Amino acid sequence: MIRSVVRGFGAALPKQVVTNLDLESKVDTSDEWIVQRTGIRQRYIAGEGETTASLGEAAGRAALENAGLTSADLDLIIVATSTPDNTFPATAVNIQNRLGMHHGAAFDVQAVCSGFIFGVTTADAYIRGGLAKRVLVIGAETFSRILDWTDRTTCVLFGDGAGAIILEAQEGTGANSDRGVLTTQLRSDGAHKEKLYVDGGPSTTGTVGHLRMEGREVFKHAVGMITDVIEAAFTATGTTADDLDWLVPHQANRRIIDGSAKKLGIPLEKVVVTVDLHGNTSAASIPLALNTAAADGRIKRGDLVLLEAMGGGFTWGSVLLRW
Ligand code: ACO
């Protein structure tokens, strides 16, 4: 059977680092409050000329270089983002052009913080269906541009960045020992829209709008939804938490990450955490964390890696893969 195997990875961050201390002079907050409630110590914020497409392009180029490929070798680009450069065309098409690619196809997926999981799931379906051989999946965001910088309950939580992987069709045996994506689990429930949304859009206000969040409500649902899709991945593959080498969660909040790992019996030494460095970068957070742990040698070829996310919509999902 055909498997979608990770052939390369890359990431890109804006130049400017903004620490919690820097935020103390902008809004009524403190380093102590932010660290205690979220684990975030700093985030990267896009400056002039840095956009979702430019960060996504840089992450894509890094992944191509890591894979020893060029854009000529790709069939498809999928970009997960909620902060596109333009309402249309898709940021994926913009990145496709920046990479000098004029064949194949490119499109965006929009599932907020779960976007990378939705993107990898879509790429895996294209590859297993024989519609594409190599897919560049990018998670790229500039949430700083949709934050209300006077709202201390949200503006301290998010950051900008991009991460990418290249998935390639390779022959597998169908066993869990295969490299590549072993299972994907997606969920959404629009009944939760008001708990985390942007209060503008082309068809409603004609404006971009700002992020609004009922933090406590999101928190209340997060651990249950995350454990639901992780247990579904274990059931689908007959694996358990003991089989995992790494959990790479969406990086929203240290307390949500620790709570989910504890509930599933996954020791914290097996959890990749980058929320302290990047803040919540929405669809970029998982590929940024993957890139960090693969580049520093923690995630090695053959490791069993579980990705999970939950975000606006609500959307949530997981991907179990062998690196
Ligand atoms: N600095 C200082 N004080 C603050 C700040 C801040 N930045 N923000 C809020 N406070 C105050 C509040 O005003 C409140 O004060 P009060 O008690 O005098 O009214 C107090 O801190 C406690 O506020 P809560 O909202 O109850 O704080 P909580 O412990 O719930 O933590 C947080 C807030 C961190 C947002 C938490 O609810 C959370 O992590 N929620 C999940 C958020 C999340 O992960 N979102 C991302 C989802 S992914 C996506 O799709 C984007």
Side-chain angles (χ1 to χ4, degrees), residues 246-307:
W246 296 103
L247 173 66
V248 184
H250 168 49
Q251 309 283 320
N253 182 306
R254 182 77 213 224
R255 287 188 297 159
I256 296 175
I257 294 172
D258 290 355
S260 312
K262 193 171 166 207
K263 196 165 165 200
L264 289 154
I266 301 169
L268 289 180
E269 309 84 72
K270 289 186 175 185
V271 183
V272 176
V273 178
T274 51
V275 70
D276 50 334
L277 301 173
H278 302 150
N280 181 349
T281 56
S282 187
S285 93
I286 291 176
L288 273 169
L290 265 178
N291 182 79
T292 303
D296 69 19
R298 272 180 288 171
I299 298 180
K300 294 182 206 60
R301 191 183 168 111
D303 280 357
L304 191 62
V305 181
L306 181 61
L307 319 177

Side-chain angles (χ1 to χ4, degrees), residues 17-27:
V17 177
V18 174
T19 65
N20 293 347
L21 224 55
D22 295 330
L23 289 181
E24 286 184 10
S25 59
K26 277 191 163 219
V27 284

Side-chain angles (χ1 to χ4, degrees), residues 23 27-34 36-40 82 111-114 143 151-158 195-197 211 213-220 222 250-256 280-283 309-315:
L23 289 181
V27 284
D28 181 16
T29 191
S30 66
D31 176 55
E32 191 194 356
W33 191 96
I34 300 171
Q36 193 187 45
R37 305 280 174 138
T38 72
I40 298 166
S82 303
V112 201
C113 295
S114 312
F143 260 50
D151 175 14
R152 68 174 182 172
T153 69
T154 54
C155 75
V156 303
L157 304 174
F158 296 90
K195 298 181 182 104
L196 178 52
Y197 69 107
L211 180 146
M213 178 169 74
E214 294 172 31
R216 250 186 241 182
E217 280 297 310
V218 177
F219 200 101
K220 217 167 72 186
H250 168 49
Q251 309 283 320
N253 182 306
R254 182 77 213 224
R255 287 188 297 159
I256 296 175
N280 181 349
T281 56
S282 187
M310 179 266 185
F314 291 149
T315 55

Side-chain angles (χ1 to χ4, degrees), residues 110-119 121-122 183-192 221-237 307-319:
Q110 214 275 46
V112 201
C113 295
S114 312
F116 190 73
I117 300 288
F118 278 62
T121 300
T122 307
T183 187
T184 60
Q185 306 288 327
L186 295 187
R187 309 271 189 278
S188 61
D189 183 355
H192 299 285
H221 288 87
V223 174
M225 288 178 163
I226 290 163
T227 47
D228 157 42
V229 283
I230 291 181
E231 277 163 1
F234 288 152
T235 305
T237 52
L307 319 177
E308 60 79 0
M310 179 266 185
F314 291 149
T315 55
W316 63 110
S318 66
V319 171

Side-chain angles (χ1 to χ4, degrees), residues 70-82:
T70 71
S71 62
D73 302 310
L74 300 173
D75 306 308
L76 178 64
I77 299 176
I78 298 176
V79 175
T81 188
S82 303

